[in-house]
Amino acid sequence: ILNKYKNFSFSKTKIEKDVKIDVPAGSFTCTKISPMKLNEKEFKNKSQMSMLFSNDENRYPVKIWLTMKYGSLVLELNKITN
């Protein structure tokens, strides 16, 4: 990932399959993706991130969570509309 301030390199992505999760939109079986730093050390602000996508043909973003040194952010799929 490249931006005008820093160049970040991620060579590792941890992938977990068939993770079962319940969110307000229902129950899903997901694939969990967690980016990791190249040298496996912690990020500067001790942050961690995971994204869970449904295993169906739609690949809905079911849950995204980010934890940092002083707080966290959790996004969950609330409902699915057409």
Side-chain angles (χ1 to χ4, degrees), residues 66-77:
L66 172 66
T67 58
M68 298 178 72
K69 189 175 182 179
Y70 298 109
S72 62
L73 172 69
V74 178
L75 304 170
E76 293 182 328
L77 184 61

Side-chain angles (χ1 to χ4, degrees), residues 11 16-17 19 22-23 35 37-38 40-41 48-51 54 57 63 69 71-72 74-76 80-81:
S11 70
E16 297 175 51
K17 295 189 177 200
V19 176
D22 294 318
V23 294
K37 204 168 175 188
L38 180 66
E40 295 189 28
K41 292 184 179 179
Q48 294 180 336
M49 180 178 181
S50 287
M51 300 165 282
S54 64
E57 64 278 356
K63 186 172 185 175
K69 189 175 182 179
S72 62
V74 178
L75 304 170
E76 293 182 328
I80 299 169
T81 59

Side-chain angles (χ1 to χ4, degrees), residues 5-78:
Y5 302 107
K6 289 187 179 182
N7 184 6
F8 296 97
S9 295
F10 299 99
S11 70
K12 231 177 173 182
T13 303
K14 184 177 179 183
I15 298 174
E16 297 175 51
K17 295 189 177 200
D18 299 325
V19 176
K20 297 189 188 312
I21 187 168
D22 294 318
V23 294
S27 297
F28 294 88
T29 302
C30 299
T31 298
K32 181 178 178 181
I33 300 170
S34 303
M36 301 177 79
K37 204 168 175 188
L38 180 66
N39 55 11
E40 295 189 28
K41 292 184 179 179
E42 287 184 343
F43 288 101
K44 184 176 180 181
N45 61 2
K46 298 185 180 181
S47 65
Q48 294 180 336
M49 180 178 181
S50 287
M51 300 165 282
L52 290 100
F53 296 94
S54 64
N55 284 351
D56 62 12
E57 64 278 356
N58 297 305
R59 299 281 186 225
Y60 293 119
V62 177
K63 186 172 185 175
I64 299 171
W65 66 266
L66 172 66
T67 58
M68 298 178 72
K69 189 175 182 179
Y70 298 109
S72 62
L73 172 69
V74 178
L75 304 170
E76 293 182 328
L77 184 61
N78 192 32

